[in-house]
Amino acid sequence: EVYEYLTDYEDDDEEEEEEEEVETVDVEELENVVKACTSGTRKVFQYIHEIVTALAGVIEYQEMALKMFLQAALCADALEVSEESVSYEFFVQAFTLYEEVADTKTQLRLLPLMIGTVQKTCGFGQDNYETLCTKVTQYAARLLKKPDQCKMVYSCSHLFWDDVTDLPKKPQKIDSSSGSSTLAGLTGGGGDKTDVFGDGKRSLECLQKSLRIADACVASSSHVSLFIEILNRYIFFFDKGCEKVTAQYVSGLIALINEHLGQMDEDFDPNIKTNLEAFYKSTIEHVKAKAKLNPEKYANIDL
């Protein structure tokens, strides 16, 4: 016990000495250390850029290189290296590789990853972030098959509006008062971060566009399933407080789905019809459960 007491006492003395040493560190010296670390981090990312660029030159490894560019962009964004320019450059390289991909299946496999990576960023200013979102949305609208276009476009709706309560630590990106901007290509110049979290107007535009694409899929009989998937997105934005997605939009889409389900004839595949009806029923039950928790908010939705 005496030994433990003496040991603890000596440790306390050492801690006090360490604290005194920290207090005597020169502030200017600390600033120089921080600058040196930042410069070193930038050099690391430059080295990564060179390696992945070399990898991208080999056709067999282009998909891997694209994924590495996206991962590097996310890391640079999280570390806030060189005021977002490094992260932006990695995105440019990833997008350039994507445009060189000729295989539509590969594009469809990579695009969700690109959308998710852009959405996860938190260090971009308004101009650069909006440019990246616009470019990814353009890629989604250019996919070969209409059902794929529809799914990717409605996925892009989440780029322009995020739920603040689900992501409390994520900085704001888009100024909702700015409206839609025409951005031709990756030429963003950076911008000041705003206090407004999202742009509901742009999200609604994505949802409406995906709805028009789904309506053109009648020949493939996949339109009803797409309608229900889009309905789930409408419900998400409505529930999370996106003012542009109103009860009127949700009710209108529910009525449209009811109409198309009623028009399914006997020649329609019974298994697909059963799955669609089950999917739609669970969606409606979800809305009813939400309505019980917040009857005032859901009062104007016609089920």
Side-chain angles (χ1 to χ4, degrees):
E1 293 178 354
V2 173
Y3 173 78
E4 290 178 354
Y5 172 78
L6 291 175
T7 304
D8 292 340
Y9 181 77
E10 290 175 358
D11 288 340
D12 290 341
D13 285 342
E14 291 177 4
E15 290 178 1
E16 289 178 2
E17 290 177 0
E18 290 178 358
E19 290 178 358
E20 290 178 358
E21 290 179 359
V22 173
E23 291 175 358
T24 58
V25 172
D26 187 5
V27 175
E28 185 177 350
E29 183 179 344
L30 280 176
E31 291 178 351
N32 292 333
V33 171
V34 172
K35 289 180 181 179
C37 291
T38 303
S39 177
T41 304
R42 183 179 176 86
K43 289 180 180 179
V44 169
F45 280 106
Q46 288 175 343
Y47 185 54
I48 292 172
H49 188 282
E50 292 175 4
I51 294 174
V52 181
T53 300
L55 192 65
V58 183
I59 297 177
E60 292 81 2
Y61 297 118
Q62 284 186 338
E63 183 176 345
M64 182 189 297
L66 189 150
K67 293 178 180 179
M68 288 182 175
F69 275 132
L70 291 177
Q71 188 62 49
L74 206 56
C75 291
D77 174 79
L79 294 173
E80 297 183 351
V81 180
S82 299
E83 299 180 351
E84 77 190 55
S85 62
V86 174
S87 178
Y88 192 86
E89 172 61 22
F90 280 121
F91 272 115
V92 171
Q93 295 301 320
F95 289 1
T96 301
L97 273 180
Y98 175 84
E99 292 175 357
E100 294 176 358
V101 174
D103 182 29
T104 56
K105 291 183 179 180
T106 303
Q107 289 181 336
L108 185 60
R109 188 167 59 249
L110 292 173
L111 193 53
L113 182 61
M114 293 165 63
I115 294 171
T117 304
V118 173
Q119 185 183 8
K120 199 171 179 63
T121 60
C122 58
F124 285 115
Q126 178 183 333
D127 291 344
N128 280 343
Y129 181 76
E130 197 172 81
T131 300
L132 295 175
C133 292
T134 302
K135 198 67 177 177
V136 171
T137 306
Q138 289 173 353
Y139 291 147
R142 293 172 186 168
L143 289 172
L144 182 61
K145 296 181 179 180
K146 291 291 184 181
D148 296 334
Q149 285 183 22
C150 177
K151 293 179 180 181
M152 291 300 101
V153 170
Y154 72 55
S155 296
C156 288
S157 64
H158 295 278
L159 292 172
F160 300 99
W161 198 94
D162 280 322
D163 177 30
V164 182
T165 57
D166 287 348
L167 299 166
K169 297 180 180 180
K170 190 170 183 180
Q172 292 71 29
K173 300 170 182 173
I174 302 298
D175 185 352
S176 60
S177 64
S178 64
S180 300
S181 60
T182 304
L183 299 167
L186 293 171
T187 57
D192 295 331
K193 296 173 185 176
T194 67
D195 293 329
V196 182
F197 195 80
D199 187 349
K201 181 180 178 181
R202 295 292 298 275
S203 294
L204 179 60
E205 288 174 357
C206 287
L207 293 176
Q208 291 175 329
K209 185 170 185 176
S210 66
L211 197 57
R212 290 193 296 270
I213 296 172
D215 191 47
C217 297
V218 177
S220 63
S221 302
S222 61
H223 61 294
V224 179
S225 175
L226 293 172
F227 285 160
I228 300 173
E229 291 176 25
I230 297 169
L231 173 61
N232 277 271
R233 292 308 191 281
Y234 270 94
I235 293 170
F236 170 82
F237 285 108
F238 176 78
D239 184 67
K240 298 302 181 180
C242 182
E243 295 181 356
K244 296 296 181 180
V245 179
T246 63
Q248 182 179 359
Y249 284 116
V250 178
S251 298
L253 186 50
I254 289 175
L256 180 66
I257 295 171
N258 289 333
E259 178 184 347
H260 282 271
L261 283 175
Q263 291 175 352
M264 287 184 176
D265 52 30
E266 297 179 355
D267 296 332
F268 201 87
D269 189 326
N271 292 327
I272 296 178
K273 184 177 181 180
T274 300
N275 291 336
L276 286 176
E277 289 175 345
F279 182 21
Y280 182 55
K281 182 180 178 181
S282 65
T283 301
I284 295 301
E285 291 299 324
H286 173 70
V287 177
K288 290 179 179 179
K290 289 286 186 179
K292 288 182 180 179
L293 296 175
N294 195 345
E296 183 178 352
K297 183 179 182 67
Y298 285 81
N300 294 326
I301 293 182
D302 186 6
L303 300 175

